[in-house]
Amino acid sequence: NAGVTQTPKFQVLKTGQSMTLQCAQDMNHEYMSWYRQDPGMGLRLIHYSVGAGITDQGEVPNGYNVSRSTTEDFPLRLLSAAPSQTSVYFCASSYGAYNEQFFGPGTRLTVL
Amino acid sequence: AQKVTQAQTEISVVEKEDVTLDCVYETRDTTYYLFWYKQPPSGELVFLIRRNSFDEQNEISGRYSWNFQKSTSSFNFTITASQVVDSAVYFCALSEYNFNKFYFGSGTKLNVKP
């Protein structure tokens, strides 16, 4: 099993550009989520999904969109990148929100 | 208000010392789950423990132990006889049963010096 995979590992964007961070899991987990990690802030929940076709907002959803068309995939879209979105992004999956979260390796995003 | 507070931003100890990382949480749910994760310098997140709100028994796993006290809303983590490989950022986290969200504390960076 590959577990949770994320692509790309690194990305540099210019302000105003859009992009999609990819996340996939092969553990048949219903729950998937996106976090951003900033120095001194821990990990903050951006969006989450409890199953295909169901998504909801976390603590810091502004500027990000998600969709969940399959159990396996949960992409995160930045519509118009801003320097404040410079961060490390982690995708996670689990059987439920209160189970152990399995994390991907992270994507380091820089917005200039 | 913060759901999970880790007041210790950074701790430095010398190898073989014991160290306790504090975690205080806030919730109105009667059913909830607490977690600890480790993030070594390589950056990945490693699961350490999950505890539900109905199980207040302390847990020991090798050099690691956890003290859960509902009365003080704390879930502290102790490393006995610390080693250099324990150097990492440690996160405490909370998940409430009636909500589908996971809350992390801001983390405690542990430096273990030889």
Side-chain angles (χ1 to χ4, degrees), chain B residues 55-73:
Chain B
D55 183 1
E56 286 193 73
Q57 275 194 330
N58 292 333
E59 175 137 353
I60 299 174
S61 175
R63 296 183 298 105
Y64 295 170
S65 62
W66 290 269
N67 183 292
F68 176 28
Q69 292 198 334
K70 285 176 79 170
S71 60
T72 56
S73 297

Side-chain angles (χ1 to χ4, degrees), chain A:
Chain A
N1 284 355
V4 180
T5 57
Q6 290 183 239
T7 56
K9 288 195 172 182
F10 301 94
Q11 183 70 49
V12 179
L13 292 177
K14 294 182 180 176
T15 297
Q17 286 185 316
S18 63
M19 80 159 295
T20 299
L21 306 185
Q22 301 291 346
C23 175
Q25 53 94 7
D26 61 359
M27 296 173 281
N28 204 32
H29 286 161
E30 290 295 328
Y31 186 88
M32 294 186 74
S33 51
W34 277 101
Y35 299 85
R36 58 178 289 173
Q37 183 177 17
D38 303 295
M41 306 282 290
L43 283 83
R44 292 181 293 169
L45 181 64
I46 304 172
H47 285 286
Y48 65 95
S49 168
V50 297
I54 308 170
T55 64
D56 206 344
Q57 296 181 350
E59 291 179 82
V60 289
N62 292 343
Y64 307 97
N65 272 2
V66 292
S67 60
R68 183 102 178 265
S69 55
T70 66
T71 299
E72 293 77 20
D73 300 296
F74 191 44
L76 178 73
R77 295 183 190 85
L78 280 71
L79 306 173
S80 178
S84 60
Q85 293 179 304
T86 293
S87 189
V88 180
Y89 291 85
F90 286 97
C91 178
S93 75
S94 66
Y95 289 110
Y98 40 87
N99 295 103
E100 173 193 350
Q101 307 281 306
F102 292 83
F103 285 87
T107 295
R108 186 173 294 274
L109 175 68
T110 301
V111 183
L112 303 174

Side-chain angles (χ1 to χ4, degrees), chain A residues 31 35 37 40-45 48 50 56-59 90 97-105, chain B residues 2 33 35 37 39 43-47 50 89 91 95-97 99-107:
Chain A
Y31 186 88
Y35 299 85
Q37 183 177 17
M41 306 282 290
L43 283 83
R44 292 181 293 169
L45 181 64
Y48 65 95
V50 297
D56 206 344
Q57 296 181 350
E59 291 179 82
F90 286 97
Y98 40 87
N99 295 103
E100 173 193 350
Q101 307 281 306
F102 292 83
F103 285 87
Chain B
Q2 285 272 35
Y33 297 80
F35 302 78
Y37 280 83
Q39 187 176 44
E44 73 272 23
L45 285 147
V46 179
F47 167 79
R50 169 182 180 254
V89 180
F91 293 100
S95 179
E96 299 165 316
Y97 184 78
F99 302 92
N100 287 311
K101 299 180 182 179
F102 212 79
Y103 298 96
F104 280 86
S106 55

